[in-house]
Amino acid sequence: ILVSEVMLQQTQVDRVIPKFHEFLGKYPTLQDLAVAHPDEVKKTWYPLGYNIRPYRLHGIACEAVERYGGTIPNTAEELLSLKGIGRYTAGAIRSFAFNQDAPILDTNVMRVLHRIFIGKGDPKKQKTSLWQLSEALIPRGKGYDFNQALMDFGATVCTARKPLCLLCPMRNLCITVSSDA
């Protein structure tokens, strides 16, 4: 999950899928990734861009091998202690790899929550409130499904350009729609 999360950040899924399979074929374990030369990891990563990411991924693998016996930890504190893992990635790992009720706030989730519950202002300046919403809204025991649904909803219905407001099941609750009407 760590590799997929890092690869998918700001990169289209159709570009990631073949590289993801190639990457896991070459580095099936964190140990394999940790012993690889960082420049070789970057070469395998190419052409996904954001070329600091393969170095960060290599560093995380090295740290995980050294500190956690080659496993990725499952607590927010431990994940955030790994250089290169921020709040979103820690939440995504906890939610998608460990099925924990952990909040995430990627671009799509931020847009959805901001439009439905806040409606005005710059979402990037309201991240604290949006993180709180993201956490508070997770149905107990359903973090994986809820986070996946929010991300998909933002990617397919509540899109950045031309959102499908007329078809949106959240239309009656959405502050943005009601303020536009």
Side-chain angles (χ1 to χ4, degrees), residues 111-179:
R111 181 176 54 257
V112 169
L113 296 179
H114 184 267
R115 284 179 177 167
I116 292 173
F117 295 103
I118 298 172
K120 295 193 185 311
D122 182 356
K124 292 178 183 171
K125 293 182 179 175
Q126 299 169 332
K127 275 192 174 180
T128 300
S129 298
L130 293 169
W131 272 109
Q132 291 168 346
L133 267 171
S134 178
E135 186 165 22
L137 291 171
I138 299 171
R140 187 175 204 94
K142 302 288 185 186
Y144 179 98
D145 294 332
F146 183 76
N147 287 330
Q148 205 60 51
L150 263 180
M151 288 171 35
D152 290 347
F153 185 74
T156 60
V157 177
C158 193
T159 59
R161 293 176 199 84
K162 298 182 183 179
L164 303 175
C165 297
L166 292 175
L167 302 175
C168 179
M170 301 299 290
R171 181 175 171 77
N172 293 336
L173 302 171
C174 183
I175 288 176
T176 302
V177 170
S178 62
S179 68

Side-chain angles (χ1 to χ4, degrees), residues 14-49:
D14 60 337
R15 288 185 58 216
V16 168
I17 291 171
K19 292 310 287 185
F20 176 75
H21 291 295
E22 178 186 345
F23 201 88
L24 286 186
K26 197 164 194 178
Y27 312 112
T29 68
L30 286 174
Q31 290 83 351
D32 294 322
L33 182 55
V35 299
H37 190 280
D39 290 334
E40 187 61 33
V41 176
K42 180 184 173 191
K43 188 176 171 186
T44 305
W45 184 269
Y46 182 82
L48 293 178

